[in-house]
Amino acid sequence: MTHIKPWLKVATGAILATSVAFTASGCTTTDAPSGDGEKSMTYWSMWTETEPQAEVLKTSLAAFEKDTGVKVSVQWQGRKVLDKVTAGLLSGDVPDLVDQAYDALGTALVKTNQLEDMAPVLKEEIPGEDGKTVGDVIPAKYIDNLPTYDGDVKNYMVPYTISNVSVFYNKANKVAPKAPKTWDELLANCKKAVEADMACIASDGDATWANSYWFDYLLNRNGGDGAFKKLVEDKTGASWDDPAVMETAKQIQNLVDSGYIIKGYDASKYPEQQNAWAANKALYYLMGSWAPAETEKYAAEGFDYGAFNFPTTSESSTTADDVISFGFAVPKAGKHTAEAKQFIAYFANKDRMGEISTVADNLSARPDVEAPAQLADVATILADNPSRLPNDGVSGDITDKGFNATFEQLWLGKLTAEEYVKEAKSAMVAYWNAKG
């Protein structure tokens, strides 16, 4: 999961793994299973118990238990939840419901065919929604673009919260308050920023997973949908000879050579320059939609969070935006899969899923839920553009070991575009040869 690390980082302190049984009057800690014949389900969550997302889920789980009579046992596992699920597959200790990002679920459970097909759940009616189904309220584009990881199931998760990667900026800045739509317009604004003694682009040198968003988006604009996947999965290396790749590398080199990236970025550690951006030290910051929440305490007075879709590089460029879905999945080995699926439909209710926005300050997977004010522009980007996956859905070793190390040298100004393409091509071929 190379492209979503900050939003998935574990909260300070030990991961909580408290089992909680919900009752109509609230929740209490317990390890006791439900009685024989009693409807029940077990849920292992990616959230720690004190996070706002957990507060949202606690409310809905308690209401679900009251309304349906299904006893719910929850373990707030934190970001390592799928490690425990994977281990539990060997011992038979598996939850009925689990949640995580699409790619975490993919590498841990989809490729080994451990998850139920969620297609029937999309047809389930949502309680209190006058006949609306889950599939009616969650856009198909958030599900249709899920990679299969060579597994048998396509619809292996039902998203409930969405993140997006877009360019953030301060709408109240006086240097370039208008969001650029094209790459040339962005470069023109970068020039204005430098002339005003302000950096154009914020970047932390050690955050290659985030800096590579620039390459991924530019290659998408220059080479079309699927260009990154084709590039890194070509075992012959021939795809590196595509002119769109060289064009992308030169655009990156131009950012470096023109001094548009914030000074000292090559020696900075995340989130140093992210915070500097919020303090008005840089014009733009390409990052996931978690950026406002992570930077608000560092934001300059009057900072007005805005975002725009990554610019096009030609009239024929795609405008697809990066979407990262987080949602529910049901392990096949669970003993109460029907109840787990019932809760997914229950939680899809607008009022319940709306608390993802009002309580957790995140984007709900339902576009009819009003976004938090700081993410209003992101919601518009999601609504107005087709969806794609960061790196075309490629993650894991291919990016960590095959792509990122060489790209880091280009981003830090240690390689020219020509040198980069040559070395990156050799590195990717070597990666695939080592895989056998």
Side-chain angles (χ1 to χ4, degrees):
M1 297 177 292
T2 57
H3 47 267
I4 52 180
K5 283 180 180 175
W7 206 69
L8 288 180
K9 65 186 179 182
V10 179
T12 302
I15 294 175
L16 300 177
T18 306
S19 179
V20 179
F22 288 87
T23 66
S25 61
C27 53
T28 57
T29 302
T30 180
D31 292 317
S34 60
D36 291 341
E38 189 175 54
K39 281 191 173 185
S40 64
M41 79 167 199
T42 300
Y43 166 39
W44 292 358
S45 176
M46 69 175 284
W47 308 109
T48 55
E49 191 173 3
T50 57
E51 291 182 284
Q53 292 88 347
E55 294 302 316
V56 171
L57 288 160
K58 283 181 186 180
T59 300
S60 288
L61 288 164
F64 176 70
E65 183 175 86
K66 180 180 179 181
D67 291 344
T68 66
V70 176
K71 299 297 181 183
V72 181
S73 178
V74 183
Q75 291 186 17
W76 304 106
Q77 297 284 352
R79 307 307 185 264
K80 301 290 186 179
V81 60
L82 297 184
D83 290 350
K84 184 171 182 182
V85 175
T86 302
L89 290 170
L90 300 176
S91 64
D93 182 17
V94 178
D96 305 304
L97 182 68
V98 69
D99 55 0
Q100 246 293 7
Y102 75 89
D103 58 342
L105 290 167
T107 55
L109 300 173
V110 177
K111 67 179 181 180
T112 54
N113 296 312
Q114 300 295 336
L115 296 180
E116 291 267 343
D117 186 356
M118 293 290 99
V121 179
L122 297 175
K123 299 177 182 178
E124 289 293 319
E125 291 189 4
I126 303 169
E129 292 270 359
D130 297 325
K132 286 184 181 178
T133 67
V134 177
D136 288 336
V137 302
I138 297 178
K141 64 182 180 179
Y142 294 159
I143 298 170
D144 291 345
N145 69 351
L146 294 175
T148 61
Y149 298 91
D150 296 323
D152 293 337
V153 176
K154 171 62 177 175
N155 296 338
Y156 49 84
M157 69 175 286
V158 175
Y160 64 78
T161 185
I162 300 295
S163 287
N164 156 281
V165 178
S166 48
V167 187
F168 284 91
Y169 73 113
N170 177 11
K171 288 183 173 182
N173 87 82
K174 298 179 181 180
V175 174
K178 184 178 179 181
K181 293 183 178 180
T182 69
W183 185 248
D184 286 343
E185 289 174 357
L186 182 142
L187 293 180
N189 286 349
C190 281
K191 185 177 180 180
K192 291 179 183 177
V194 172
E195 290 173 348
D197 198 26
M198 180 184 191
C200 182
I201 295 167
S203 164
D204 283 294
D206 70 335
T208 307
W209 55 269
N211 299 329
S212 65
Y213 289 144
W214 288 93
F215 186 96
D216 177 46
Y217 257 134
L218 280 168
L219 184 60
N220 173 262
R221 299 316 193 231
N222 295 329
D225 292 333
F228 186 88
K229 181 179 177 69
K230 178 183 177 183
L231 181 69
V232 298
E233 292 188 349
D234 182 354
K235 298 180 181 180
T236 70
S239 294
W240 285 89
D241 298 327
D242 187 327
V245 177
M246 181 62 74
E247 181 181 5
T248 298
K250 287 183 176 180
Q251 287 166 326
I252 296 290
Q253 183 184 345
N254 181 46
L255 294 178
V256 177
D257 291 349
S258 299
Y260 290 157
I261 307 177
I262 195 166
K263 291 180 180 179
Y265 80 98
D266 53 337
S268 68
K269 296 185 180 298
Y270 177 85
E272 178 184 348
Q273 302 297 1
Q274 171 179 276
N275 297 337
W277 163 75
N280 265 341
K281 301 287 181 63
L283 194 60
Y284 298 134
Y285 188 44
L286 180 62
M287 185 50 74
S289 53
W290 51 82
E294 288 197 347
T295 61
E296 58 185 351
K297 67 180 179 180
Y298 303 100
E301 184 177 355
F303 197 99
D304 184 8
Y305 285 94
F308 57 88
N309 196 16
F310 197 90
T312 58
T313 57
S314 70
E315 292 184 0
S316 61
S317 287
T318 175
T319 62
D321 71 293
D322 285 3
V323 172
I324 304 166
S325 301
F326 297 77
F328 296 118
V330 177
K332 291 180 180 179
K335 297 180 176 62
H336 305 281
T337 57
E339 288 82 357
K341 294 174 183 177
Q342 184 181 0
F343 175 73
I344 294 173
Y346 184 87
F347 187 70
N349 177 278
K350 185 178 180 180
D351 289 339
R352 286 182 275 276
M353 198 176 282
E355 291 190 346
I356 292 293
S357 172
T358 59
V359 176
D361 285 331
N362 288 160
L363 292 167
S364 168
R366 287 188 59 146
D368 58 348
V369 169
E370 185 176 357
Q374 293 178 333
L375 298 177
D377 286 351
V378 174
T380 299
I381 293 169
L382 288 167
D384 293 349
N385 296 282
S387 297
R388 69 182 293 264
L389 299 175
N391 297 341
D392 294 325
V394 177
S395 61
D397 278 357
I398 299 180
T399 50
D400 290 342
K401 297 179 180 179
F403 175 82
N404 282 351
T406 312
F407 172 73
E408 181 179 63
Q409 302 304 302
L410 174 66
W411 186 257
L412 297 179
K414 297 179 180 180
L415 292 175
T416 65
E418 290 79 7
E419 291 169 339
Y420 165 71
V421 171
K422 181 179 179 180
E423 292 196 20
K425 177 179 179 179
S426 297
M428 288 305 307
V429 171
Y431 167 84
W432 284 113
N433 287 340
K435 297 283 284 187

